Amino acid sequence: MKNIFLFVLFLFNSLLFGQKHIEPISFEKSFRIGLQTAVQFGNNVFAKDFDSGLGFNTSMSIVKIYDVKLTFGFEFQRLRLTNAETIGNLAYIINNNYFVMLEYELPINDKFEINPTLSYAYSVMNYKDNGSILAKQKGNEIRLGSYLNYQLNKTFAGYFGIHYAYFFNSNLSASSEDKDYFGQGNKIVFSIGIEIL
Amino acid sequence: MILFIISFSCSGPYEGESIITLKASLTDTNNQPVANQKCYIGAINNSDDFDSSTYNKISNENGIIEFKMFAPVQVGGLHLIESSEFLPVNIVNLSRLNFNNVVWDLGNITLFKSDEIIPFTLFLNASSTNKIIEIIEVNAIKYESRINFFNDEFYYESQMIYQLKKNQNFEVFYQLKNMNTNEIEAFTVQLTIEEEPTEYTISY
């Protein structure tokens, strides 16, 4: 995890200072809104005992520093219980993520652009029955991936995103076996939506 | 902003940051395991969020009931539902104050049939003005429909009824305190109960 993080920082640094004419700070706004789903994997409760359904994401970027956008956003993902034997006969988890993201703009041609991203999210897991919250967990998520943007016109672009995310909860009080099973998760998030420039 | 507020309100009757194993061993009065006994967990928090449907199961063939669950935020209870054979038992006041690790082992719980028990009535006859009764213990095989795990009930009434297993020898232990001299007196009374209701009076 640490090596991947250092590699990405190195990559960003090279891309930033490998270019001859770099814009300084600019206040260009852009706004993303779209749908997503996730594929959970690994030996953890989110992969083994829940199914990910459709989610929602939205983000806004208001400042760009040398082609790196600083973006803030919110994400909503629902996970449906598939195994009541594990942690109770609850119905689903609502996972709300509040994230800050660094996005690099890498044009391919006039229409296509890749945006590699690195983000950190404050993650809230609400375990619910069909109406009320039964329990709440708070954790962290590190996410790495990219968007592929297709410029539709001067104002709108469509995007497709694919991101790897690692969730961890270091505050969980449990046996060491349960900490591993309930306190971390891995997923690939697929998203699609519209970016307003 | 609204979504942000909603996600930070209402935390529920369980503590999501604490995962425990709650277990108990169920036996009958002959010390045989009781299988297929229906049990559920009830939990409540300070905001009166209550749940009794998330954790329910039956005991296995060895009489073991075990829940992997979120710890109750405030207090929880293990409830053994009345069956065609056994009387119900409710073990209440289970909280993180009572346990110092992630395994909440309630130990052995004996289930009784209705024809196995008979009432034993204990009367308190207070004629002394300077003595109070501090402790009363009925050390017997007895049925309690409600077991207060925190055991902070120290109020004794002038008449108390216990449901004891028939045909046993048992003892009543009690302790008096002289409020003038602070002198403590302890007494143990050996008793027998058979097939008929029995009484005893503590006079002081």
Side-chain angles (χ1 to χ4, degrees):
Chain A
M1 199 70 221
K2 181 183 171 184
N3 289 337
I4 293 172
F5 184 74
L6 287 173
F7 171 75
V8 169
L9 273 183
F10 171 75
L11 187 67
F12 266 65
N13 191 55
S14 302
L15 288 169
L16 281 176
F17 296 101
Q19 305 207 13
K20 288 185 181 174
H21 299 289
I22 299 169
E23 291 294 325
I25 298 172
S26 64
F27 295 94
E28 296 172 14
K29 297 187 193 60
S30 65
F31 176 72
R32 274 206 185 89
I33 187 164
L35 299 175
Q36 65 176 54
T37 189
V39 175
Q40 308 270 355
F41 61 95
N43 186 32
N44 57 77
V45 65
F46 309 108
K48 300 288 187 187
D49 304 302
F50 286 87
D51 269 345
S52 293
L54 211 54
F56 162 84
N57 63 75
T58 181
S59 63
M60 176 174 276
S61 168
I62 55 173
V63 63
K64 186 163 71 172
I65 306 169
Y66 292 112
D67 288 339
V68 177
K69 290 198 292 188
L70 180 63
T71 302
F72 298 92
F74 168 76
E75 176 187 279
F76 164 100
Q77 181 72 55
R78 179 177 160 133
L79 297 89
R80 183 180 59 88
L81 181 79
T82 56
N83 180 9
E85 293 297 309
T86 300
I87 196 61
N89 189 28
L90 42 93
Y92 52 90
I93 297 173
I94 297 293
N95 177 202
N96 295 321
N97 284 341
Y98 307 87
F99 61 87
V100 58
M101 182 165 67
L102 298 176
E103 285 185 76
Y104 184 73
E105 293 181 328
L106 195 59
I108 300 173
N109 55 35
D110 287 344
K111 289 288 186 185
F112 284 97
E113 181 179 277
I114 289 180
N115 295 157
T117 68
L118 173 67
S119 63
Y120 164 79
Y122 176 70
S123 186
V124 179
M125 299 272 191
N126 292 322
Y127 291 76
K128 300 188 78 170
D129 62 14
N130 285 311
S132 314
I133 293 177
L134 296 169
K136 190 188 287 278
Q137 279 181 353
K138 295 163 191 143
N140 311 276
E141 195 174 276
I142 303 290
R143 192 175 290 197
L144 184 66
S146 185
Y147 294 108
L148 174 66
N149 289 346
Y150 177 77
Q151 199 76 30
L152 296 167
N153 52 42
K154 276 182 69 174
T155 307
F156 294 96
Y159 72 84
F160 172 76
I162 179 165
H163 295 81
Y164 163 76
Y166 173 65
F167 165 81
F168 60 101
N169 178 1
S170 48
N171 292 323
L172 190 63
S173 166
S175 66
S176 57
E177 183 184 24
D178 286 344
K179 278 183 187 177
D180 286 341
Y181 193 74
F182 293 99
Q184 57 182 355
N186 300 282
K187 63 187 178 188
I188 304 288
V189 181
F190 301 93
S191 58
I192 189 167
I194 295 287
E195 184 175 16
I196 303 170
L197 303 164
Chain B
M1 186 62 181
I2 293 171
L3 286 167
F4 187 89
I5 291 169
I6 288 172
S7 76
F8 281 91
S9 64
C10 316
S11 52
Y14 299 104
E15 173 53 65
E17 306 288 0
S18 178
I19 293 177
I20 61 168
T21 299
L22 187 151
K23 59 183 184 180
S25 170
L26 310 183
T27 57
D28 61 18
T29 53
N30 296 315
N31 222 28
Q32 296 302 304
V34 174
N36 301 316
Q37 170 64 44
K38 289 183 184 174
C39 312
Y40 72 91
I41 300 287
I44 192 167
N45 69 5
N46 288 330
S47 305
D48 290 336
D49 294 325
F50 177 75
D51 171 71
S52 61
S53 59
T54 301
Y55 299 107
N56 54 78
K57 50 172 64 176
I58 60 173
S59 56
N60 65 17
E61 66 272 15
N62 297 317
I64 304 295
I65 188 80
E66 189 167 310
F67 293 95
K68 177 70 60 84
M69 55 181 283
F70 294 115
V73 168
Q74 192 177 2
V75 287
L78 174 64
H79 304 276
L80 281 57
I81 300 168
E82 183 170 12
S83 68
S84 55
E85 274 194 276
F86 297 106
L87 296 166
V89 178
N90 301 282
I91 303 151
V92 298
N93 257 339
L94 303 175
S95 80
R96 290 177 285 174
L97 296 174
N98 309 139
F99 302 92
N100 57 13
N101 59 32
V102 296
V103 178
W104 295 14
D105 190 345
L106 306 188
N108 178 255
I109 301 166
T110 302
L111 299 185
F112 289 82
K113 299 177 184 178
S114 56
D115 61 1
E116 290 180 325
I117 56 176
I118 201 83
F120 165 68
T121 305
L122 194 60
F123 294 98
L124 301 185
N125 180 16
S127 54
S128 165
T129 55
N130 60 352
K131 287 184 182 177
I132 60 163
I133 196 156
E134 280 195 318
I135 299 171
I136 298 175
E137 291 174 2
V138 176
N139 297 317
I141 302 170
K142 58 181 181 286
Y143 166 68
E144 294 172 287
S145 63
R146 182 177 182 276
I147 299 172
N148 185 339
F149 204 79
F150 194 60
N151 198 28
D152 61 349
E153 293 167 344
F154 294 107
Y155 178 72
Y156 300 112
E157 299 179 6
S158 59
Q159 176 181 329
M160 294 173 288
I161 301 175
Y162 301 84
Q163 300 292 339
L164 304 191
K165 183 168 181 272
K166 293 175 181 175
N167 301 309
Q168 64 171 308
N169 298 319
F170 66 103
E171 63 181 39
V172 174
F173 168 83
Y174 62 97
Q175 189 168 291
L176 303 178
K177 182 175 180 179
N178 187 312
M179 299 303 290
N180 294 335
T181 64
N182 286 329
E183 181 189 357
I184 303 288
E185 294 174 279
F187 300 89
T188 301
V189 182
Q190 303 291 340
L191 296 169
T192 298
I193 194 164
E194 294 177 349
E195 298 279 339
E196 296 297 322
T198 303
E199 302 175 354
Y200 183 80
T201 300
I202 296 176
S203 297
Y204 61 99

